[in-house]
Amino acid sequence: MASAKKLPCSSKKLLEICNRFPTPFHLYDEKGIIENMQRLARAFSWSEGFREYFAVKATPNPFLMKLLGAIGAGADCSSYTELLLAERCGISGEAIMFTSNDTPAAEFIKARRLGAVINLDDISHIAYLEHCAGLPDLVSQRYNPGPLRSGNAIIGHPEEAKYGFTREQIIEGFKLLREKGVHRFGLHTMVASNELNPQYFVDTAVMLYELAVEVYRTTGIRIEFVNIGGGIGIPYRPEQTAVDSELVSRGIQEAYERIIVAAGLHPMKLFMECGRMITGPYGYLVTKVLHIKQTYKRYVGLDSCMANLMRPALYGAYHHITVAGKEDVAAATVCDVTGSLCENNDKFAIDRKLPEVSEGDVLVIHDAGAHGHAMGFNYNGKLRSAELLLRNGGEVVEIRRAETPDDLFATLDFEKLATFS
Ligand SMILES: *Cc1c(COP(=O)(O)O)cnc(C)c1O
């Protein structure tokens, strides 16, 4: 089933929003995000204690995190400042999953203070964590299946990935943790990114369930939860189909009964840490046409650039584009849609068919709600845009203002410069 590329409101309303807030900006659809999160939780309601830890890095805006937290999502954090954001949103204790790698001591200390579930990336981190912050009651380990699992396009082959413990280290690590007094254990993996095949996630759960049984048989250790990570893809292209959470859930439930219940290991909790699938389809980059240029090709130049949305330039990713108010005009003009960076790959689309556009037209770039604003940067002196939230009742709230030149220069000392020669 193809995915319809719709705006979160009428184009009339969108143009009104553009009159109130200067473009470019990211616009998030509260209703879409909340209903999406609730659908996921409902799909997994068979699994007692199921929790989705929203991957903060996808959309690190505390207003969105707080909305998600209020309907049961936790926060999956991987850095010090992501932990601080979770804390500011009132998310703490085991509602935080701390999945980091190459981790500085200060981050383990902060995670411990917040009572987060600490998910270790390496066997050597057991001693490191013990030394810098002390071992908590509950520790999770990240599994890297290596050659036992074929990879996916974005993350690549697991044996080439820097993350996680080998199979032998998982067993050894749990024994070591037990010797050191830990008595609650979790098992995690993350082997895919932007994956649209639902079976992939069922296979991931099967892999962890089988490993949990092996851990139990060889060590007597009972795993309290498995965390199958994030990586559920979204249909960036209109002809693609969203992953059916119900289908994934049924497949995992069947595996749970066949493997975990049969081995006498029920109850075992199931966690996820999706980012992209939660917010991705419900965020839009709203931007205006500045210039139309006709040389060897036709260029539609926008008031935004890859500093606002890097995915097309970084991965050659497709992002659908709607011209607001011209939804019914035939997409008959082929053009490159560009930003203003002094980099020729600063293009949102190449050879894209769009309705004939003019200067001042509002373009909406779809599926920018995850890894969009978050991947923003300041190269070429570009300033990050505002983030707006379209609330359930239709009201629009600014949930992050746009950067100003003062923000960009905040780390420079111009007084020192005045006397510097
Ligand atoms: C990036 C990441 C996620 C979220 O990935 P999505 O593709 O946004 O679902 C979850 N867990 C870890 C460890 C990650 O690095």
Side-chain angles (χ1 to χ4, degrees):
M1 188 183 59
S3 59
K5 293 294 172 195
K6 286 197 236 134
L7 299 182
C9 57
S10 68
S11 45
K12 179 165 171 282
K13 167 139 192 167
L14 191 84
L15 296 172
E16 281 165 18
I17 299 172
C18 294
N19 288 335
R20 279 181 57 208
F21 298 93
T23 56
F25 55 79
H26 282 262
L27 179 67
Y28 303 98
D29 172 17
E30 175 178 8
K31 186 163 179 280
I33 292 173
I34 296 302
E35 287 180 356
N36 188 32
M37 173 66 206
Q38 287 169 334
R39 241 183 340 262
L40 182 71
R42 225 176 12 250
F44 284 92
S45 56
W46 62 267
S47 175
E48 207 178 318
F50 172 81
R51 184 171 239 161
E52 149 67 8
Y53 289 84
F54 175 65
V56 174
K57 76 165 191 266
T59 323
N61 188 300
F63 290 81
L64 298 180
M65 289 165 66
K66 192 170 176 186
L67 284 178
L68 288 167
I71 54 167
D76 177 53
C77 300
S78 58
S79 68
Y80 188 76
T81 50
E82 288 180 0
L83 287 168
L84 291 180
L85 274 184
E87 186 178 25
R88 289 292 186 92
C89 298
I91 300 173
S92 68
E94 293 182 15
I96 302 177
M97 180 74 59
F98 184 58
T99 301
S100 59
N101 69 93
D102 191 20
T103 314
E107 300 194 358
F108 277 138
I109 293 166
K110 184 69 189 175
R112 274 287 270 135
R113 288 216 182 110
L114 291 173
V117 180
I118 295 183
N119 185 25
L120 296 178
D121 182 68
D122 184 52
I123 194 162
S124 72
H125 293 190
I126 295 172
Y128 186 83
L129 173 63
E130 181 182 32
H131 182 72
C132 71
L135 289 170
D137 253 14
L138 167 65
V139 177
S140 172
Q141 297 184 149
R142 178 173 186 163
Y143 174 49
N144 180 333
L148 297 178
R149 192 81 201 274
S150 66
N152 120 305
I154 291 194
I155 278 205
H157 290 292
E159 64 267 43
E160 295 290 338
K162 66 175 177 171
Y163 309 109
F165 294 51
T166 65
R167 200 171 184 90
E168 294 69 33
Q169 288 170 341
I170 285 283
I171 307 275
E172 207 186 316
F174 281 132
K175 284 190 193 156
L176 187 60
L177 285 168
R178 180 174 55 188
E179 276 166 31
K180 292 177 180 291
V182 172
H183 58 269
R184 296 171 59 205
F185 306 90
L187 185 58
H188 167 272
T189 199
M190 165 97 187
V191 283
S193 183
N194 195 24
E195 177 61 57
L196 282 171
N197 177 3
Q199 188 58 36
Y200 200 93
F201 301 96
V202 177
D203 292 349
T204 298
V206 166
M207 176 181 85
L208 289 185
Y209 286 154
E210 286 175 346
L211 183 54
V213 171
E214 185 185 329
V215 167
Y216 179 67
R217 298 228 162 107
T218 52
T219 67
I221 288 172
R222 282 185 77 131
I223 302 293
E224 184 174 314
F225 70 80
V226 299
N227 177 350
I228 61 171
I232 295 184
I234 60 171
Y236 286 102
R237 292 177 180 272
E239 68 273 19
Q240 290 174 323
T241 304
V243 172
D244 178 351
S245 310
E246 294 276 343
L247 191 70
V248 174
S249 170
R250 279 198 299 276
I252 294 180
Q253 184 176 15
E254 184 277 323
Y256 183 80
E257 272 152 26
R258 180 167 53 81
I259 302 166
I260 297 302
V261 176
L265 294 179
H266 171 75
M268 187 183 293
K269 283 187 272 193
L270 176 68
F271 297 156
M272 270 185 187
E273 47 188 37
C274 289
R276 187 188 314 270
M277 75 150 305
I278 303 293
T279 50
Y282 308 101
Y284 306 80
L285 174 58
V286 181
T287 170
K288 274 188 188 160
V289 177
L290 271 187
H291 299 287
I292 312 261
K293 170 172 177 166
Q294 182 71 55
T295 53
Y296 307 103
K297 291 183 93 169
R298 184 175 178 80
Y299 296 102
V300 173
L302 305 183
D303 62 0
S304 56
C305 67
M306 68 181 280
N308 303 106
L309 176 67
M310 181 150 68
R311 299 189 72 262
L314 187 64
Y315 308 122
Y318 179 94
H319 278 261
H320 199 71
I321 299 176
T322 299
V323 185
K326 294 191 174 171
E327 289 88 339
D328 299 327
V329 179
T333 316
V334 176
C335 57
D336 282 12
V337 180
T338 75
S340 53
L341 278 194
C342 301
E343 293 288 337
N344 193 43
N345 67 343
D346 184 16
K347 295 180 179 178
F348 292 105
I350 296 174
D351 297 330
R352 182 73 56 90
K353 273 192 178 156
L354 289 182
E356 182 80 44
V357 296
S358 345
E359 288 167 13
D361 273 354
V362 171
L363 266 55
V364 179
I365 305 184
H366 293 255
D367 302 305
H371 312 290
H373 188 281
M375 284 177 131
F377 57 91
N378 293 117
Y379 179 60
N380 240 186
K382 294 298 173 185
L383 302 172
R384 268 173 288 236
S385 75
E387 292 181 292
L388 308 180
L389 180 66
L390 176 63
R391 305 237 40 193
N392 244 325
E395 185 197 353
V396 176
V397 182
E398 188 174 66
I399 55 174
R400 187 195 304 268
R401 67 163 172 81
E403 286 178 342
T404 65
D406 283 344
D407 294 323
L408 185 61
F409 298 145
T411 50
L412 294 173
D413 185 343
F414 286 107
E415 281 175 27
K416 195 164 159 189
L417 179 70
T419 57
F420 176 82
S421 58

